[in-house]
């Protein structure tokens, strides 16, 4: 009696069987081998949560194909069980379903592989029977030479709560570029673990922190940022507007700057408009002899003041007044 116990479910003719017809069975097997090397498409019932692909014994079946594409429309993740659970093989599987849902490839009670909508995975079916597992072939992939990416996007991570990184394995020193997921910071640093000796950190507000010395081969430019007065008060973010300018529109008071960091230096150009206005200062600003300057009260004139934060107050470190506006 013929059996179908091989990994492609081809007919295995028993000795003495199919006298005069073995050629037909052999040709069918050859065609099925060709099918196994090709592309197959299988539709999932609309909005199904589970689906079974059982490769047919000795007859054409899309599930036999090396490249298997699943189609259909889903409204939730769908678990696909590939059988028989004793079949051992490597398969390329595409989630071509509509509805932006995952498909989960399973074979038995063991591990499975999740494939997001529009994505392709190469999986291994271990064929271990009831406990069969599906494994991602590309896990811990090692390449011995260059890798070229022709597409426009490389995505690292799957939106789960974990750090992701690229590690540069040097001879004497490793470096990494990674996402510190708990802090939501993009970090460049020494070592191979995210968070180890960071050199540059960029947070979700695009603020950059560099804990070590920065050397510039040309002059450093700090972008000028406008700060405005509302209800006779000027709010000043020391981190976002270290180099600030304010065009007067009303009599106003400079409030205590936010995001103050010890050692930070900030400056502001105060430009009088067509009508001169008065300027007052929060007590956190410290001036020579603890006396705030009188801002030039002439239309279209400019004063520039600079401050350094000592951890408690903003100490004035520079002042130029009565400059002509051009």
């Amino acid at each position: 009696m013929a059996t179908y116990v091989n990994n492609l479910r081809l007919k295995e003719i028993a000795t003495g069987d199919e006298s005069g017809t073995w050629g037909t069975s052999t040709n069918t097997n050859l065609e099925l081998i060709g099918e196994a090397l090709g592309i197959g498409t299988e539709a999932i019932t609309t909005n199904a949560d589970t689906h079974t692909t059982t490769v047919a014994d000795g007859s054409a079946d899309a599930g036999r194909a090396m490249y298997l594409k699943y189609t259909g429309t889903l409204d939730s993740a769908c678990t696909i069980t590939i059988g028989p659970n004793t079949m051992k093989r490597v398969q390329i599987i595409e989630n071509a379903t509509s509805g932006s849902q995952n498909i989960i490839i399973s074979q038995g009670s063991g591990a499975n592989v999740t494939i997001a909508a529009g994505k392709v995975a190469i999986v291994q079916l271990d064929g271990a029977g009831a406990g069969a597992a599906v494994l991602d072939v590309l896990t811990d992939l090692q390449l011995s030479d260059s890798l070229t990416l022709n597409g426009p996007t490389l995505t690292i991570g799957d939106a789960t709560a974990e750090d992701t990184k690229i590690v540069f394995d040097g001879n004497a020193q490793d470096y990494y570029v990674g996402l510190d997921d708990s802090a939501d910071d993009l970090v460049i640093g020494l070592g191979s673990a995210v968070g180890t000796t960071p050199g540059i950190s960029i947070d979700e507000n695009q603020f950059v922190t560099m804990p070590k010395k920065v050397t510039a081969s040309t002059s450093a430019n700090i972008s000028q940022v406008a700060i405005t007065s509302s209800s006779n008060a000027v709010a000043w973010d020391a981190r976002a507007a270290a180099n600030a300018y304010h065009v007067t529109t009303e009599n106003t008071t400079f409030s205590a700057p936010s995001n103050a960091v010890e050692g930070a230096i900030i400056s502001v150009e105060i430009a009088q408009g067509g009508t001169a206005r008065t300027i007052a200062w929060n007590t956190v600003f410290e001036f020579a002899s603890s006396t705030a300057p009188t801002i030039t009260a002439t239309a279209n004139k400019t004063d520039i003041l600079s401050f350094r934060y000592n951890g408690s107050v903003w100490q004035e470190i520079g002042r130029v007044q009565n400059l002509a506006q051009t």
Side-chain angles (χ1 to χ4, degrees):
M1 176 182 292
T3 59
Y4 301 87
V5 295
N6 54 82
N7 292 322
L8 293 181
R9 313 308 292 178
L10 305 178
K11 179 187 282 189
E12 297 183 17
I13 303 171
T15 302
D17 281 358
E18 301 199 21
S19 176
T21 62
W22 64 268
T24 299
S25 294
T26 300
N27 289 339
T28 298
N29 279 343
L30 293 174
E31 291 171 0
L32 297 181
I33 292 172
E35 178 182 68
L37 296 175
I39 300 172
T41 300
E42 185 164 305
I44 301 173
T45 302
T46 299
N47 297 336
D49 294 332
T50 60
H51 178 82
T52 300
T53 295
T54 302
V55 179
D57 290 342
S59 61
D61 195 316
R64 182 179 285 106
M66 177 186 296
Y67 191 107
L68 178 55
K69 178 189 295 187
Y70 284 102
T71 61
T73 301
L74 302 176
D75 61 0
S76 61
C78 181
T79 297
I80 299 171
T81 301
I82 297 179
N85 58 22
T86 55
M87 184 173 60
K88 301 178 181 179
R89 61 176 308 190
V90 172
Q91 202 159 23
I92 305 169
I93 298 178
E94 177 183 352
N95 181 354
T97 62
S98 302
S100 301
Q101 300 296 327
N102 297 336
I103 59 174
I104 303 166
I105 308 302
S106 178
Q107 193 184 29
S109 62
N112 51 51
V113 172
T114 297
I115 307 174
K119 303 301 182 181
V120 178
I122 304 176
V123 302
Q124 170 199 339
L125 310 178
D126 74 2
V134 179
L135 306 174
D136 189 334
V137 171
L138 298 184
T139 296
D140 299 325
L141 176 67
Q142 177 177 306
L143 301 176
S144 60
D145 209 329
S146 300
L147 172 66
T148 299
L149 178 69
N150 291 327
T153 303
L154 172 62
T155 300
I156 300 175
D158 58 0
T160 56
E162 63 179 354
D163 294 343
T164 53
K165 61 188 175 181
I166 299 174
V167 176
F168 300 89
D169 189 358
N171 182 30
Q173 178 62 61
D174 297 342
Y175 292 86
Y176 67 86
V177 178
L179 171 66
D180 183 338
D181 188 72
S182 59
D184 283 334
D185 288 353
L186 177 67
V187 184
I188 301 174
L190 297 178
S192 59
V194 174
T196 303
T197 320
I200 300 175
S201 298
I202 306 173
D203 72 10
E204 64 271 24
N205 298 309
Q206 299 183 36
F207 293 134
V208 179
T209 300
M210 291 179 283
K212 300 294 185 178
K213 179 180 73 173
V214 177
T215 301
S217 58
T218 58
S219 61
N221 297 320
I222 302 176
S223 298
Q224 186 172 246
V225 178
I227 52 178
T228 58
S229 178
S230 176
S231 300
N232 303 104
V234 175
W236 190 357
D237 186 333
R239 181 166 57 180
N243 181 17
Y245 73 93
H246 171 66
V247 178
T248 62
T249 57
E250 60 181 354
N251 298 332
T252 192
T253 297
F254 273 70
S255 303
S258 59
N259 292 314
V261 177
E262 187 171 359
I265 294 176
I266 59 177
S267 65
V268 61
E269 174 189 349
I270 301 174
Q272 295 283 12
T275 301
R277 311 288 184 174
T278 62
I279 301 293
W281 303 88
N282 183 278
T283 56
V284 78
F285 291 98
E286 173 64 19
F287 300 93
S289 300
S290 297
T291 302
T294 300
I295 296 300
T296 301
T298 305
N300 303 315
K301 288 289 187 175
T302 288
D303 293 352
I304 300 175
L305 294 89
S306 299
F307 304 90
R308 179 186 180 276
Y309 190 61
N310 72 353
S312 299
V313 296
W314 288 96
Q315 299 169 315
E316 184 188 22
I317 58 174
R319 182 194 308 177
V320 182
Q321 292 190 274
N322 200 25
L323 300 174
Q325 296 178 28
T326 57

